[in-house]
Amino acid sequence: FTKPTPVQKYSIPIGLGGGDMMACAQTGSGKTAGFLFPVIAMMLRMGPLPEPENRRGKNTAFISTLILAPTRELAVQIHEEAQKFCYCTGIRPVVVYGGANIQNQQRELDYGADLLVATPGRLVDLIERGRVRLDNVRFLVLDEADRMLDMGFEPQIRRIVEAEGMPVDRQTFMFSATFPMEIQRLAGDFMRNYVFVAVGRVGSASKDVTQTVEWIENADKIEFVLDFLG
């Protein structure tokens, strides 16, 4: 990194200052580093919280940071970046998502988890199994929040944030490509005195991303993809 992207330029100081933030940032604008840098820096500055005395079961992970993402692909991408940025810090990032072996993910949690990247459905499943507790969460990030609402995750998100013991005294970042009324309502419910940041044209892709549409007949799609990848 030689200089921050526009969203990083504002999100990093807001995060390090302890504030909540609602950011409308386009695809390809660098928002993953925009929330990971301040969160990791604050985790290192504050140190680990002691686990609650009334904990049940030694296989329960008390995480400090929760990052919610709508899809497996995005969750894996955020986790890969977090692994790079957490290198040699002592902070252990773990990713959990649906459609994969839950036993393997539980094993990863057993080794210790400080920063958890999760899709909402799989996280609710792990909470119900008693494998994850949110009592120690100090940082909450909702990435692509508008997509999560489009995919019908709002009841699960509300349960995770409001009904599973997550502290109110936390720092919350929300990132969204658009800012419809549903997102404004979610931001109002989850954050206090938040800073609103809009980068570029809301709802469009970053100028660093080239978008091309190809019209292909159904029978020719597989052949076209193979040629394209080749």
Side-chain angles (χ1 to χ4, degrees), residues 176-221:
S176 173
T178 58
F179 196 52
M181 188 55 69
E182 294 85 353
I183 293 292
Q184 295 178 41
R185 195 161 51 242
L186 213 60
D189 291 345
F190 292 172
M191 296 190 284
R192 299 166 301 171
N193 300 321
Y194 64 89
V195 177
F196 179 77
V197 179
V199 177
R201 292 199 314 276
V202 172
S204 65
S206 166
K207 68 182 190 321
D208 301 329
V209 175
T210 303
Q211 293 182 316
T212 310
V213 177
E214 299 278 358
W215 180 263
I216 311 295
E217 292 296 337
N218 222 29
D220 302 328
K221 284 185 178 181

Side-chain angles (χ1 to χ4, degrees), residues 22 31 68-70 74 142-151 153 157 173-178 183 186:
M22 172 70 229
K31 61 184 189 294
L68 288 175
L74 182 58
L142 275 70
D143 197 10
E144 295 198 359
D146 52 349
R147 241 177 115 197
M148 284 198 275
L149 293 193
D150 289 343
M151 294 169 72
F153 283 132
I157 293 168
F173 293 166
M174 279 178 62
F175 288 82
S176 173
T178 58
I183 293 292
L186 213 60

Side-chain angles (χ1 to χ4, degrees), residues 86 101 124 158:
C86 291
N101 189 310
V124 167
R158 288 194 175 276

Side-chain angles (χ1 to χ4, degrees), residues 11 23 32 35 38 55 62 64 83 110 115 134-135 139 149 160-161 185 195 210 222 227:
S11 64
T32 305
F35 60 74
R55 65 171 298 172
F62 285 86
S64 295
Q83 282 185 306
D110 291 344
L115 184 155
L134 307 180
D135 307 49
F139 304 98
L149 293 193
I160 290 163
V161 178
R185 195 161 51 242
V195 177
T210 303
I222 293 175
D227 288 344

